[in-house]
Amino acid sequence: MIFFILRRVALGCAILAVVAILLFTMMHLIPGDPSVVALGPRSTPEMREAFRQLMGLDKSVPEQLGLFLGRLAHGDLGEDVWSRRPVAVMIWEVLPYTVTLALTSLAWAVGLGTLLGCVAVTHHGRWPDWLIGVLSVGFVAVPSFVVALYSLLVFAVALNWLPAIGAGEPGNLASQAKALILPSFAIGLGWVGYIARIVRAAMIEAMGEPYVRTLRAFGVAEGRIVYAYALKQGFLAVVSVIAIGFGGLLTGSVFAEIVFSRPGLGKMTYDAVISRNYPIVIGTVLVTSALYVTCMIVADVAVAWLDPRVRRSL
């Protein structure tokens, strides 16, 4: 098991190194002089040269790449072009908003999706199963930005039940929780249908296993078979997609934070792209990739820990 974890961690580090090199290459392939973008077209040649020396742009590309990877190895993501603040500090300030939004969306999506999957299995072949199937496909088919815009218009503008923008008042948990409802609903709804379909398929497969027939032969109640045995199989299937779901929710938080004007990695990335603030773009993408890779490693370890067959295959 320890060798399995070490192998996954090494693979994650290799993926992040490739992502960093690709980002560095893409930033240098974009046309235009970064010093002109940062200082404006009215800047003097002396000012641009001083900026290039300060940012290390006067060195060759291999030297810049070596310095970039060296700084990353020490946790240094560079400085903001405009405020000259460390990018790592700026990301650390907004990271809790994005992680909270993604975790809240994932939590209620997993809870409701698992519940709908269980109800569909217990009513397999009857109208609740068909209804849940239709709703699940509908949830997956509707784009998240459409859900965000319509929920904003209905619940914030027309009914005035929930705040339209912002992350709530600082220090007021009730206000912050209300501000989380609409964004988490917008980006989590699609995953409700996805998880419900996965749980239903995994539990129906488990219900056809020989040990389930044995349990029925011994007179075990059907409800206990579904919720005490088949649900475990459905939960294993959900665990394997939680990491993918968390990565998708982090990506979906980009438009949610823009539509609802919330602070976070998504809004910071959007603002940095608009202003061509490359150190922040690279930093936010790298941090998002690191979170995604970490979730994948945790999911792999969790599945290996829960399923003895996976542990025996190591």
Side-chain angles (χ1 to χ4, degrees):
M1 191 70 181
I2 295 177
F3 178 71
F4 174 80
I5 296 174
L6 293 176
R7 194 168 55 182
R8 286 292 186 274
V9 171
L11 178 62
C13 293
I15 292 173
L16 290 177
V18 171
V19 170
I21 294 173
L22 287 176
L23 278 172
F24 179 85
T25 305
M26 291 172 62
M27 290 297 108
H28 280 74
L29 289 178
I30 296 176
D33 188 343
S35 63
V36 176
V37 174
L39 301 177
R42 295 184 179 180
S43 58
T44 63
E46 291 76 15
M47 293 170 63
R48 295 173 192 169
E49 184 59 29
F51 179 83
R52 292 191 190 97
Q53 292 180 4
L54 182 65
M55 302 299 291
L57 299 175
D58 57 332
K59 297 180 173 60
S60 64
V61 174
E63 283 182 297
Q64 292 183 45
L65 177 59
L67 292 173
F68 172 67
L69 294 178
R71 289 199 307 268
L72 285 184
H74 292 85
D76 183 3
L77 298 176
E79 291 183 346
D80 176 20
V81 171
W82 307 110
S83 65
R84 311 301 308 276
R85 296 181 62 202
V87 173
V89 174
M90 297 175 66
I91 291 176
W92 184 252
E93 290 174 352
V94 301
L95 185 61
Y97 293 100
T98 300
V99 173
T100 302
L101 176 60
L103 288 177
T104 304
S105 306
L106 189 63
W108 80 265
V110 169
L112 184 57
T114 304
L115 177 63
L116 291 177
C118 292
V119 173
V121 170
T122 53
H123 297 81
H124 182 51
R126 288 177 282 172
W127 70 266
D129 184 21
W130 290 101
L131 178 62
I132 291 173
V134 172
L135 290 176
S136 300
V137 174
F139 292 160
V140 175
V142 178
S144 298
F145 67 89
V146 174
V147 179
L149 292 175
Y150 275 92
S151 61
L152 181 66
L153 291 173
V154 173
F155 296 104
V157 178
L159 300 176
N160 198 24
W161 288 352
L162 296 168
I165 60 173
E169 300 174 9
N172 188 335
L173 291 179
S175 174
Q176 294 175 5
K178 287 180 68 177
L180 264 177
I181 294 176
L182 286 182
S184 63
F185 172 75
I187 62 176
L189 185 63
W191 285 95
V192 173
Y194 189 49
I195 291 172
R197 301 297 294 175
I198 290 175
V199 170
R200 177 185 179 277
M203 292 180 69
I204 287 177
E205 182 182 355
M207 296 293 282
E209 295 288 337
Y211 75 90
V212 172
R213 292 196 293 271
T214 303
L215 291 171
R216 285 173 174 154
F218 278 95
V220 177
E222 191 70 14
R224 186 178 177 187
I225 293 175
V226 170
Y227 293 105
Y229 297 97
L231 181 58
K232 182 181 178 181
Q233 193 71 22
F235 184 70
L236 282 173
V238 170
V239 168
S240 62
V241 301
I242 280 179
I244 301 174
F246 188 74
L249 291 169
L250 285 174
T251 306
S253 66
V254 174
F255 72 83
E257 289 170 357
I258 294 171
V259 171
F260 296 99
S261 192
R262 287 178 56 88
L265 281 180
K267 191 170 188 307
M268 176 182 279
T269 306
Y270 174 78
D271 294 338
V273 169
I274 295 298
S275 61
R276 297 190 180 186
N277 198 335
Y278 299 137
I280 289 186
V281 174
I282 294 176
T284 52
V285 174
L286 279 177
V287 170
T288 304
S289 302
L291 290 173
Y292 188 84
V293 169
T294 302
C295 290
M296 293 293 291
I297 295 172
V298 171
D300 287 347
V301 173
V303 170
W305 180 66
L306 290 171
D307 193 342
R309 293 172 297 181
V310 177
R311 291 201 298 270
R312 285 195 293 269
S313 67
L314 298 179

